Amino acid sequence: ASLDKSLKELNLSTEEVDKFAKAFKDPEFLKLFEDYAKEVSDPKVKAETDAYLRQLEFEGRVEEVYGKGAQLILPVASHVVKTRNTATGEKVFINI
């Protein structure tokens, strides 16, 4: 019930939901997503990324790197989707 509520609060269009559903059925996408999740979960990588972003912000280069109107934000924890990798049984958490 909580997952349904969280997903409804995202206010995704039918097209967006369909794209997510299709992507998570694609083994290649799942592998890339798993690699990404492992990388962003690595404290060393997170520290390096944070330092890089702070440097861009300090130097006033955010728009130069990410495009006009881009802003760096510090996200606030909100929702998490918990699922399992059907091949390995491993838990997977997706922060939204």
Side-chain angles (χ1 to χ4, degrees):
S2 178
L3 176 60
D4 288 338
K5 182 181 176 199
S6 296
L7 290 174
K8 285 180 184 173
E9 288 176 356
L10 290 175
N11 198 26
L12 298 173
S13 70
T14 302
E15 181 181 353
E16 290 168 323
V17 171
D18 290 345
K19 285 181 179 181
F20 274 116
K22 182 179 178 183
F24 279 97
K25 290 178 184 174
D26 179 352
E28 184 178 348
F29 174 84
L30 284 175
K31 174 67 175 129
L32 292 170
F33 189 80
E34 181 181 351
D35 292 346
Y36 167 76
K38 285 180 182 176
E39 182 176 318
V40 299
S41 299
D42 182 336
K44 181 181 176 189
V45 172
K46 183 178 181 339
E48 290 171 357
T49 301
D50 287 349
Y52 172 69
L53 293 173
R54 299 282 176 261
Q55 179 182 350
L56 288 179
E57 192 171 42
F58 178 76
E59 295 173 353
R61 296 182 50 227
V62 174
E63 288 189 350
E64 174 189 330
V65 174
Y66 291 104
K68 185 175 180 179
Q71 295 179 324
L72 294 182
I73 59 168
L74 294 174
V76 176
S78 180
H79 296 86
V80 65
V81 177
K82 177 182 169 186
T83 188
R84 288 194 182 273
N85 180 325
T86 56
T88 65
E90 191 174 45
K91 289 182 193 174
V92 178
F93 297 88
I94 304 167
N95 294 311
I96 301 171

PDB file of all heavy atoms in Angstrom, residues 5-40:
ATOM      1  N   LYS A   5       1.089   4.316  -2.864  1.00  0.00           N
ATOM      2  CA  LYS A   5       0.935   5.735  -2.513  1.00  0.00           C
ATOM      3  C   LYS A   5       2.132   6.543  -3.005  1.00  0.00           C
ATOM      4  O   LYS A   5       1.976   7.612  -3.578  1.00  0.00           O
ATOM      5  CB  LYS A   5       0.773   5.892  -1.011  1.00  0.00           C
ATOM      6  CG  LYS A   5       0.559   7.321  -0.574  1.00  0.00           C
ATOM      7  CD  LYS A   5       0.426   7.439   0.929  1.00  0.00           C
ATOM      8  CE  LYS A   5       0.302   8.906   1.299  1.00  0.00           C
ATOM      9  NZ  LYS A   5       0.606   9.164   2.679  1.00  0.00           N
ATOM     10  N   SER A   6       3.341   6.008  -2.784  1.00  0.00           N
ATOM     11  CA  SER A   6       4.559   6.699  -3.210  1.00  0.00           C
ATOM     12  C   SER A   6       4.581   6.881  -4.721  1.00  0.00           C
ATOM     13  O   SER A   6       4.949   7.941  -5.223  1.00  0.00           O
ATOM     14  CB  SER A   6       5.798   5.932  -2.766  1.00  0.00           C
ATOM     15  OG  SER A   6       5.881   5.894  -1.366  1.00  0.00           O
ATOM     16  N   LEU A   7       4.216   5.841  -5.447  1.00  0.00           N
ATOM     17  CA  LEU A   7       4.206   5.931  -6.905  1.00  0.00           C
ATOM     18  C   LEU A   7       3.163   6.933  -7.393  1.00  0.00           C
ATOM     19  O   LEU A   7       3.418   7.692  -8.326  1.00  0.00           O
ATOM     20  CB  LEU A   7       3.961   4.554  -7.527  1.00  0.00           C
ATOM     21  CG  LEU A   7       5.107   3.562  -7.377  1.00  0.00           C
ATOM     22  CD1 LEU A   7       4.703   2.188  -7.893  1.00  0.00           C
ATOM     23  CD2 LEU A   7       6.355   4.051  -8.094  1.00  0.00           C
ATOM     24  N   LYS A   8       2.009   6.964  -6.757  1.00  0.00           N
ATOM     25  CA  LYS A   8       0.968   7.928  -7.151  1.00  0.00           C
ATOM     26  C   LYS A   8       1.435   9.356  -6.910  1.00  0.00           C
ATOM     27  O   LYS A   8       1.140  10.255  -7.681  1.00  0.00           O
ATOM     28  CB  LYS A   8      -0.330   7.644  -6.399  1.00  0.00           C
ATOM     29  CG  LYS A   8      -1.059   6.434  -6.929  1.00  0.00           C
ATOM     30  CD  LYS A   8      -2.329   6.162  -6.171  1.00  0.00           C
ATOM     31  CE  LYS A   8      -2.966   4.872  -6.685  1.00  0.00           C
ATOM     32  NZ  LYS A   8      -4.114   4.465  -5.896  1.00  0.00           N
ATOM     33  N   GLU A   9       2.192   9.571  -5.826  1.00  0.00           N
ATOM     34  CA  GLU A   9       2.684  10.907  -5.511  1.00  0.00           C
ATOM     35  C   GLU A   9       3.690  11.410  -6.546  1.00  0.00           C
ATOM     36  O   GLU A   9       3.898  12.607  -6.672  1.00  0.00           O
ATOM     37  CB  GLU A   9       3.314  10.926  -4.116  1.00  0.00           C
ATOM     38  CG  GLU A   9       2.292  10.822  -3.004  1.00  0.00           C
ATOM     39  CD  GLU A   9       2.916  10.732  -1.624  1.00  0.00           C
ATOM     40  OE1 GLU A   9       4.159  10.664  -1.515  1.00  0.00           O
ATOM     41  OE2 GLU A   9       2.157  10.703  -0.647  1.00  0.00           O
ATOM     42  N   LEU A  10       4.305  10.485  -7.290  1.00  0.00           N
ATOM     43  CA  LEU A  10       5.236  10.897  -8.349  1.00  0.00           C
ATOM     44  C   LEU A  10       4.504  11.532  -9.522  1.00  0.00           C
ATOM     45  O   LEU A  10       5.101  12.247 -10.313  1.00  0.00           O
ATOM     46  CB  LEU A  10       6.044   9.694  -8.847  1.00  0.00           C
ATOM     47  CG  LEU A  10       7.067   9.135  -7.886  1.00  0.00           C
ATOM     48  CD1 LEU A  10       7.699   7.874  -8.458  1.00  0.00           C
ATOM     49  CD2 LEU A  10       8.137  10.160  -7.577  1.00  0.00           C
ATOM     50  N   ASN A  11       3.214  11.228  -9.643  1.00  0.00           N
ATOM     51  CA  ASN A  11       2.387  11.817 -10.683  1.00  0.00           C
ATOM     52  C   ASN A  11       2.960  11.563 -12.083  1.00  0.00           C
ATOM     53  O   ASN A  11       3.077  12.480 -12.896  1.00  0.00           O
ATOM     54  CB  ASN A  11       2.202  13.314 -10.432  1.00  0.00           C
ATOM     55  CG  ASN A  11       1.021  13.878 -11.203  1.00  0.00           C
ATOM     56  OD1 ASN A  11       0.092  13.154 -11.524  1.00  0.00           O
ATOM     57  ND2 ASN A  11       1.070  15.162 -11.512  1.00  0.00           N
ATOM     58  N   LEU A  12       3.338  10.318 -12.336  1.00  0.00           N
ATOM     59  CA  LEU A  12       3.885   9.943 -13.639  1.00  0.00           C
ATOM     60  C   LEU A  12       2.767   9.773 -14.657  1.00  0.00           C
ATOM     61  O   LEU A  12       1.686   9.294 -14.328  1.00  0.00           O
ATOM     62  CB  LEU A  12       4.659   8.627 -13.531  1.00  0.00           C
ATOM     63  CG  LEU A  12       5.876   8.611 -12.611  1.00  0.00           C
ATOM     64  CD1 LEU A  12       6.422   7.203 -12.484  1.00  0.00           C
ATOM     65  CD2 LEU A  12       6.939   9.554 -13.107  1.00  0.00           C
ATOM     66  N   SER A  13       3.067  10.125 -15.884  1.00  0.00           N
ATOM     67  CA  SER A  13       2.103   9.910 -16.961  1.00  0.00           C
ATOM     68  C   SER A  13       2.089   8.423 -17.307  1.00  0.00           C
ATOM     69  O   SER A  13       3.011   7.679 -16.967  1.00  0.00           O
ATOM     70  CB  SER A  13       2.478  10.730 -18.195  1.00  0.00           C
ATOM     71  OG  SER A  13       3.655  10.191 -18.790  1.00  0.00           O
ATOM     72  N   THR A  14       1.060   7.999 -18.001  1.00  0.00           N
ATOM     73  CA  THR A  14       0.975   6.608 -18.447  1.00  0.00           C
ATOM     74  C   THR A  14       2.175   6.256 -19.316  1.00  0.00           C
ATOM     75  O   THR A  14       2.748   5.173 -19.194  1.00  0.00           O
ATOM     76  CB  THR A  14      -0.332   6.371 -19.232  1.00  0.00           C
ATOM     77  OG1 THR A  14      -1.435   6.712 -18.388  1.00  0.00           O
ATOM     78  CG2 THR A  14      -0.459   4.936 -19.682  1.00  0.00           C
ATOM     79  N   GLU A  15       2.567   7.196 -20.163  1.00  0.00           N
ATOM     80  CA  GLU A  15       3.732   6.983 -21.039  1.00  0.00           C
ATOM     81  C   GLU A  15       5.001   6.769 -20.207  1.00  0.00           C
ATOM     82  O   GLU A  15       5.799   5.872 -20.499  1.00  0.00           O
ATOM     83  CB  GLU A  15       3.910   8.172 -21.974  1.00  0.00           C
ATOM     84  CG  GLU A  15       5.082   8.010 -22.929  1.00  0.00           C
ATOM     85  CD  GLU A  15       5.272   9.226 -23.839  1.00  0.00           C
ATOM     86  OE1 GLU A  15       4.438  10.145 -23.833  1.00  0.00           O
ATOM     87  OE2 GLU A  15       6.298   9.234 -24.542  1.00  0.00           O
ATOM     88  N   GLU A  16       5.189   7.567 -19.151  1.00  0.00           N
ATOM     89  CA  GLU A  16       6.376   7.427 -18.296  1.00  0.00           C
ATOM     90  C   GLU A  16       6.374   6.079 -17.575  1.00  0.00           C
ATOM     91  O   GLU A  16       7.404   5.408 -17.498  1.00  0.00           O
ATOM     92  CB  GLU A  16       6.434   8.572 -17.284  1.00  0.00           C
ATOM     93  CG  GLU A  16       6.749   9.914 -17.914  1.00  0.00           C
ATOM     94  CD  GLU A  16       6.531  11.074 -16.969  1.00  0.00           C
ATOM     95  OE1 GLU A  16       5.575  11.055 -16.169  1.00  0.00           O
ATOM     96  OE2 GLU A  16       7.342  12.030 -17.045  1.00  0.00           O
ATOM     97  N   VAL A  17       5.224   5.677 -17.066  1.00  0.00           N
ATOM     98  CA  VAL A  17       5.108   4.387 -16.381  1.00  0.00           C
ATOM     99  C   VAL A  17       5.429   3.258 -17.346  1.00  0.00           C
ATOM    100  O   VAL A  17       6.166   2.327 -17.011  1.00  0.00           O
ATOM    101  CB  VAL A  17       3.697   4.201 -15.769  1.00  0.00           C
ATOM    102  CG1 VAL A  17       3.505   2.779 -15.253  1.00  0.00           C
ATOM    103  CG2 VAL A  17       3.463   5.209 -14.654  1.00  0.00           C
ATOM    104  N   ASP A  18       4.904   3.336 -18.558  1.00  0.00           N
ATOM    105  CA  ASP A  18       5.167   2.313 -19.576  1.00  0.00           C
ATOM    106  C   ASP A  18       6.658   2.234 -19.914  1.00  0.00           C
ATOM    107  O   ASP A  18       7.204   1.143 -20.067  1.00  0.00           O
ATOM    108  CB  ASP A  18       4.356   2.571 -20.839  1.00  0.00           C
ATOM    109  CG  ASP A  18       2.867   2.337 -20.652  1.00  0.00           C
ATOM    110  OD1 ASP A  18       2.482   1.700 -19.642  1.00  0.00           O
ATOM    111  OD2 ASP A  18       2.079   2.801 -21.508  1.00  0.00           O
ATOM    112  N   LYS A  19       7.312   3.399 -20.013  1.00  0.00           N
ATOM    113  CA  LYS A  19       8.744   3.419 -20.317  1.00  0.00           C
ATOM    114  C   LYS A  19       9.548   2.768 -19.198  1.00  0.00           C
ATOM    115  O   LYS A  19      10.482   2.007 -19.457  1.00  0.00           O
ATOM    116  CB  LYS A  19       9.231   4.855 -20.551  1.00  0.00           C
ATOM    117  CG  LYS A  19       8.815   5.413 -21.889  1.00  0.00           C
ATOM    118  CD  LYS A  19       9.341   6.826 -22.088  1.00  0.00           C
ATOM    119  CE  LYS A  19       8.938   7.382 -23.432  1.00  0.00           C
ATOM    120  NZ  LYS A  19       9.460   8.742 -23.647  1.00  0.00           N
ATOM    121  N   PHE A  20       9.196   3.076 -17.938  1.00  0.00           N
ATOM    122  CA  PHE A  20       9.874   2.444 -16.806  1.00  0.00           C
ATOM    123  C   PHE A  20       9.656   0.936 -16.816  1.00  0.00           C
ATOM    124  O   PHE A  20      10.587   0.155 -16.635  1.00  0.00           O
ATOM    125  CB  PHE A  20       9.389   3.017 -15.470  1.00  0.00           C
ATOM    126  CG  PHE A  20      10.114   4.248 -15.032  1.00  0.00           C
ATOM    127  CD1 PHE A  20       9.451   5.458 -14.906  1.00  0.00           C
ATOM    128  CD2 PHE A  20      11.461   4.202 -14.717  1.00  0.00           C
ATOM    129  CE1 PHE A  20      10.115   6.600 -14.497  1.00  0.00           C
ATOM    130  CE2 PHE A  20      12.143   5.340 -14.301  1.00  0.00           C
ATOM    131  CZ  PHE A  20      11.467   6.544 -14.194  1.00  0.00           C
ATOM    132  N   ALA A  21       8.417   0.517 -17.020  1.00  0.00           N
ATOM    133  CA  ALA A  21       8.092  -0.911 -17.029  1.00  0.00           C
ATOM    134  C   ALA A  21       8.881  -1.637 -18.119  1.00  0.00           C
ATOM    135  O   ALA A  21       9.452  -2.708 -17.876  1.00  0.00           O
ATOM    136  CB  ALA A  21       6.591  -1.110 -17.225  1.00  0.00           C
ATOM    137  N   LYS A  22       8.932  -1.046 -19.294  1.00  0.00           N
ATOM    138  CA  LYS A  22       9.670  -1.649 -20.411  1.00  0.00           C
ATOM    139  C   LYS A  22      11.159  -1.703 -20.094  1.00  0.00           C
ATOM    140  O   LYS A  22      11.814  -2.735 -20.312  1.00  0.00           O
ATOM    141  CB  LYS A  22       9.432  -0.849 -21.688  1.00  0.00           C
ATOM    142  CG  LYS A  22      10.115  -1.425 -22.900  1.00  0.00           C
ATOM    143  CD  LYS A  22       9.826  -0.617 -24.150  1.00  0.00           C
ATOM    144  CE  LYS A  22      10.576  -1.189 -25.342  1.00  0.00           C
ATOM    145  NZ  LYS A  22      10.372  -0.403 -26.553  1.00  0.00           N
ATOM    146  N   ALA A  23      11.704  -0.615 -19.563  1.00  0.00           N
ATOM    147  CA  ALA A  23      13.138  -0.565 -19.262  1.00  0.00           C
ATOM    148  C   ALA A  23      13.527  -1.634 -18.245  1.00  0.00           C
ATOM    149  O   ALA A  23      14.547  -2.318 -18.401  1.00  0.00           O
ATOM    150  CB  ALA A  23      13.518   0.822 -18.748  1.00  0.00           C
ATOM    151  N   PHE A  24      12.727  -1.802 -17.199  1.00  0.00           N
ATOM    152  CA  PHE A  24      13.089  -2.756 -16.152  1.00  0.00           C
ATOM    153  C   PHE A  24      12.870  -4.209 -16.559  1.00  0.00           C
ATOM    154  O   PHE A  24      13.237  -5.122 -15.829  1.00  0.00           O
ATOM    155  CB  PHE A  24      12.371  -2.417 -14.843  1.00  0.00           C
ATOM    156  CG  PHE A  24      13.065  -1.321 -14.084  1.00  0.00           C
ATOM    157  CD1 PHE A  24      12.647  -0.009 -14.192  1.00  0.00           C
ATOM    158  CD2 PHE A  24      14.163  -1.598 -13.290  1.00  0.00           C
ATOM    159  CE1 PHE A  24      13.304   1.011 -13.515  1.00  0.00           C
ATOM    160  CE2 PHE A  24      14.825  -0.589 -12.606  1.00  0.00           C
ATOM    161  CZ  PHE A  24      14.396   0.714 -12.723  1.00  0.00           C
ATOM    162  N   LYS A  25      12.324  -4.437 -17.744  1.00  0.00           N
ATOM    163  CA  LYS A  25      12.212  -5.793 -18.297  1.00  0.00           C
ATOM    164  C   LYS A  25      13.386  -6.108 -19.226  1.00  0.00           C
ATOM    165  O   LYS A  25      13.567  -7.252 -19.616  1.00  0.00           O
ATOM    166  CB  LYS A  25      10.895  -5.958 -19.053  1.00  0.00           C
ATOM    167  CG  LYS A  25       9.687  -5.982 -18.147  1.00  0.00           C
ATOM    168  CD  LYS A  25       8.410  -6.093 -18.948  1.00  0.00           C
ATOM    169  CE  LYS A  25       7.212  -6.019 -18.021  1.00  0.00           C
ATOM    170  NZ  LYS A  25       5.949  -5.975 -18.758  1.00  0.00           N
ATOM    171  N   ASP A  26      14.171  -5.096 -19.550  1.00  0.00           N
ATOM    172  CA  ASP A  26      15.302  -5.244 -20.466  1.00  0.00           C
ATOM    173  C   ASP A  26      16.553  -5.629 -19.676  1.00  0.00           C
ATOM    174  O   ASP A  26      17.040  -4.853 -18.857  1.00  0.00           O
ATOM    175  CB  ASP A  26      15.524  -3.915 -21.193  1.00  0.00           C
ATOM    176  CG  ASP A  26      16.697  -3.930 -22.159  1.00  0.00           C
ATOM    177  OD1 ASP A  26      17.463  -4.919 -22.182  1.00  0.00           O
ATOM    178  OD2 ASP A  26      16.855  -2.942 -22.890  1.00  0.00           O
ATOM    179  N   PRO A  27      17.104  -6.838 -19.910  1.00  0.00           N
ATOM    180  CA  PRO A  27      18.279  -7.285 -19.153  1.00  0.00           C
ATOM    181  C   PRO A  27      19.480  -6.338 -19.276  1.00  0.00           C
ATOM    182  O   PRO A  27      20.210  -6.142 -18.304  1.00  0.00           O
ATOM    183  CB  PRO A  27      18.614  -8.647 -19.763  1.00  0.00           C
ATOM    184  CG  PRO A  27      17.364  -9.097 -20.422  1.00  0.00           C
ATOM    185  CD  PRO A  27      16.636  -7.853 -20.844  1.00  0.00           C
ATOM    186  N   GLU A  28      19.680  -5.746 -20.439  1.00  0.00           N
ATOM    187  CA  GLU A  28      20.793  -4.811 -20.615  1.00  0.00           C
ATOM    188  C   GLU A  28      20.602  -3.565 -19.747  1.00  0.00           C
ATOM    189  O   GLU A  28      21.534  -3.103 -19.089  1.00  0.00           O
ATOM    190  CB  GLU A  28      20.936  -4.403 -22.085  1.00  0.00           C
ATOM    191  CG  GLU A  28      22.129  -3.509 -22.341  1.00  0.00           C
ATOM    192  CD  GLU A  28      22.305  -3.148 -23.808  1.00  0.00           C
ATOM    193  OE1 GLU A  28      21.652  -3.753 -24.678  1.00  0.00           O
ATOM    194  OE2 GLU A  28      23.108  -2.242 -24.075  1.00  0.00           O
ATOM    195  N   PHE A  29      19.370  -3.040 -19.723  1.00  0.00           N
ATOM    196  CA  PHE A  29      19.079  -1.889 -18.875  1.00  0.00           C
ATOM    197  C   PHE A  29      19.291  -2.249 -17.406  1.00  0.00           C
ATOM    198  O   PHE A  29      19.885  -1.480 -16.643  1.00  0.00           O
ATOM    199  CB  PHE A  29      17.646  -1.390 -19.079  1.00  0.00           C
ATOM    200  CG  PHE A  29      17.263  -0.303 -18.121  1.00  0.00           C
ATOM    201  CD1 PHE A  29      17.583   1.015 -18.394  1.00  0.00           C
ATOM    202  CD2 PHE A  29      16.598  -0.594 -16.932  1.00  0.00           C
ATOM    203  CE1 PHE A  29      17.250   2.033 -17.497  1.00  0.00           C
ATOM    204  CE2 PHE A  29      16.266   0.412 -16.038  1.00  0.00           C
ATOM    205  CZ  PHE A  29      16.591   1.723 -16.321  1.00  0.00           C
ATOM    206  N   LEU A  30      18.812  -3.429 -16.998  1.00  0.00           N
ATOM    207  CA  LEU A  30      18.967  -3.844 -15.597  1.00  0.00           C
ATOM    208  C   LEU A  30      20.434  -3.932 -15.198  1.00  0.00           C
ATOM    209  O   LEU A  30      20.807  -3.522 -14.097  1.00  0.00           O
ATOM    210  CB  LEU A  30      18.275  -5.189 -15.361  1.00  0.00           C
ATOM    211  CG  LEU A  30      16.762  -5.141 -15.270  1.00  0.00           C
ATOM    212  CD1 LEU A  30      16.199  -6.555 -15.156  1.00  0.00           C
ATOM    213  CD2 LEU A  30      16.309  -4.290 -14.099  1.00  0.00           C
ATOM    214  N   LYS A  31      21.268  -4.435 -16.093  1.00  0.00           N
ATOM    215  CA  LYS A  31      22.699  -4.528 -15.814  1.00  0.00           C
ATOM    216  C   LYS A  31      23.303  -3.131 -15.659  1.00  0.00           C
ATOM    217  O   LYS A  31      24.059  -2.860 -14.716  1.00  0.00           O
ATOM    218  CB  LYS A  31      23.407  -5.305 -16.932  1.00  0.00           C
ATOM    219  CG  LYS A  31      24.914  -5.343 -16.817  1.00  0.00           C
ATOM    220  CD  LYS A  31      25.371  -6.140 -15.606  1.00  0.00           C
ATOM    221  CE  LYS A  31      26.887  -6.250 -15.590  1.00  0.00           C
ATOM    222  NZ  LYS A  31      27.468  -5.869 -14.318  1.00  0.00           N
ATOM    223  N   LEU A  32      22.974  -2.222 -16.585  1.00  0.00           N
ATOM    224  CA  LEU A  32      23.472  -0.857 -16.500  1.00  0.00           C
ATOM    225  C   LEU A  32      22.971  -0.159 -15.231  1.00  0.00           C
ATOM    226  O   LEU A  32      23.721   0.543 -14.560  1.00  0.00           O
ATOM    227  CB  LEU A  32      23.048  -0.054 -17.737  1.00  0.00           C
ATOM    228  CG  LEU A  32      23.699  -0.470 -19.052  1.00  0.00           C
ATOM    229  CD1 LEU A  32      23.017   0.229 -20.223  1.00  0.00           C
ATOM    230  CD2 LEU A  32      25.180  -0.175 -19.037  1.00  0.00           C
ATOM    231  N   PHE A  33      21.709  -0.392 -14.900  1.00  0.00           N
ATOM    232  CA  PHE A  33      21.129   0.218 -13.704  1.00  0.00           C
ATOM    233  C   PHE A  33      21.804  -0.324 -12.449  1.00  0.00           C
ATOM    234  O   PHE A  33      22.101   0.435 -11.521  1.00  0.00           O
ATOM    235  CB  PHE A  33      19.626  -0.043 -13.663  1.00  0.00           C
ATOM    236  CG  PHE A  33      18.920   0.724 -12.582  1.00  0.00           C
ATOM    237  CD1 PHE A  33      18.591   2.052 -12.763  1.00  0.00           C
ATOM    238  CD2 PHE A  33      18.593   0.111 -11.384  1.00  0.00           C
ATOM    239  CE1 PHE A  33      17.948   2.764 -11.769  1.00  0.00           C
ATOM    240  CE2 PHE A  33      17.957   0.816 -10.382  1.00  0.00           C
ATOM    241  CZ  PHE A  33      17.629   2.147 -10.573  1.00  0.00           C
ATOM    242  N   GLU A  34      22.068  -1.618 -12.425  1.00  0.00           N
ATOM    243  CA  GLU A  34      22.760  -2.228 -11.289  1.00  0.00           C
ATOM    244  C   GLU A  34      24.169  -1.643 -11.145  1.00  0.00           C
ATOM    245  O   GLU A  34      24.590  -1.303 -10.037  1.00  0.00           O
ATOM    246  CB  GLU A  34      22.847  -3.749 -11.475  1.00  0.00           C
ATOM    247  CG  GLU A  34      23.518  -4.462 -10.336  1.00  0.00           C
ATOM    248  CD  GLU A  34      23.611  -5.971 -10.559  1.00  0.00           C
ATOM    249  OE1 GLU A  34      23.016  -6.491 -11.521  1.00  0.00           O
ATOM    250  OE2 GLU A  34      24.302  -6.615  -9.763  1.00  0.00           O
ATOM    251  N   ASP A  35      24.883  -1.527 -12.256  1.00  0.00           N
ATOM    252  CA  ASP A  35      26.230  -0.927 -12.222  1.00  0.00           C
ATOM    253  C   ASP A  35      26.173   0.503 -11.695  1.00  0.00           C
ATOM    254  O   ASP A  35      26.997   0.909 -10.871  1.00  0.00           O
ATOM    255  CB  ASP A  35      26.866  -0.940 -13.613  1.00  0.00           C
ATOM    256  CG  ASP A  35      27.208  -2.339 -14.098  1.00  0.00           C
ATOM    257  OD1 ASP A  35      27.201  -3.287 -13.279  1.00  0.00           O
ATOM    258  OD2 ASP A  35      27.467  -2.486 -15.306  1.00  0.00           O
ATOM    259  N   TYR A  36      25.188   1.255 -12.181  1.00  0.00           N
ATOM    260  CA  TYR A  36      25.025   2.641 -11.741  1.00  0.00           C
ATOM    261  C   TYR A  36      24.737   2.689 -10.238  1.00  0.00           C
ATOM    262  O   TYR A  36      25.336   3.479  -9.504  1.00  0.00           O
ATOM    263  CB  TYR A  36      23.885   3.306 -12.521  1.00  0.00           C
ATOM    264  CG  TYR A  36      23.441   4.618 -11.934  1.00  0.00           C
ATOM    265  CD1 TYR A  36      24.198   5.768 -12.103  1.00  0.00           C
ATOM    266  CD2 TYR A  36      22.272   4.700 -11.175  1.00  0.00           C
ATOM    267  CE1 TYR A  36      23.794   6.980 -11.552  1.00  0.00           C
ATOM    268  CE2 TYR A  36      21.870   5.904 -10.616  1.00  0.00           C
ATOM    269  CZ  TYR A  36      22.634   7.036 -10.802  1.00  0.00           C
ATOM    270  OH  TYR A  36      22.235   8.217 -10.245  1.00  0.00           O
ATOM    271  N   ALA A  37      23.827   1.845  -9.782  1.00  0.00           N
ATOM    272  CA  ALA A  37      23.460   1.844  -8.359  1.00  0.00           C
ATOM    273  C   ALA A  37      24.662   1.502  -7.478  1.00  0.00           C
ATOM    274  O   ALA A  37      24.869   2.121  -6.428  1.00  0.00           O
ATOM    275  CB  ALA A  37      22.320   0.858  -8.113  1.00  0.00           C
ATOM    276  N   LYS A  38      25.469   0.551  -7.917  1.00  0.00           N
ATOM    277  CA  LYS A  38      26.673   0.198  -7.153  1.00  0.00           C
ATOM    278  C   LYS A  38      27.652   1.370  -7.115  1.00  0.00           C
ATOM    279  O   LYS A  38      28.240   1.669  -6.086  1.00  0.00           O
ATOM    280  CB  LYS A  38      27.350  -1.034  -7.751  1.00  0.00           C
ATOM    281  CG  LYS A  38      26.634  -2.321  -7.447  1.00  0.00           C
ATOM    282  CD  LYS A  38      27.344  -3.510  -8.063  1.00  0.00           C
ATOM    283  CE  LYS A  38      26.589  -4.795  -7.786  1.00  0.00           C
ATOM    284  NZ  LYS A  38      27.193  -5.942  -8.442  1.00  0.00           N
ATOM    285  N   GLU A  39      27.800   2.026  -8.257  1.00  0.00           N
ATOM    286  CA  GLU A  39      28.748   3.141  -8.331  1.00  0.00           C
ATOM    287  C   GLU A  39      28.317   4.292  -7.431  1.00  0.00           C
ATOM    288  O   GLU A  39      29.119   4.813  -6.670  1.00  0.00           O
ATOM    289  CB  GLU A  39      28.876   3.633  -9.768  1.00  0.00           C
ATOM    290  CG  GLU A  39      29.884   4.757  -9.916  1.00  0.00           C
ATOM    291  CD  GLU A  39      30.076   5.176 -11.358  1.00  0.00           C
ATOM    292  OE1 GLU A  39      30.153   4.299 -12.240  1.00  0.00           O
ATOM    293  OE2 GLU A  39      30.156   6.389 -11.592  1.00  0.00           O
ATOM    294  N   VAL A  40      27.048   4.691  -7.504  1.00  0.00           N
ATOM    295  CA  VAL A  40      26.605   5.830  -6.699  1.00  0.00           C
ATOM    296  C   VAL A  40      26.505   5.485  -5.217  1.00  0.00           C
ATOM    297  O   VAL A  40      26.420   6.381  -4.382  1.00  0.00           O
ATOM    298  CB  VAL A  40      25.274   6.447  -7.204  1.00  0.00           C
ATOM    299  CG1 VAL A  40      25.428   6.963  -8.615  1.00  0.00           C
ATOM    300  CG2 VAL A  40      24.124   5.469  -7.088  1.00  0.00           C
TER     301      VAL A  40
END
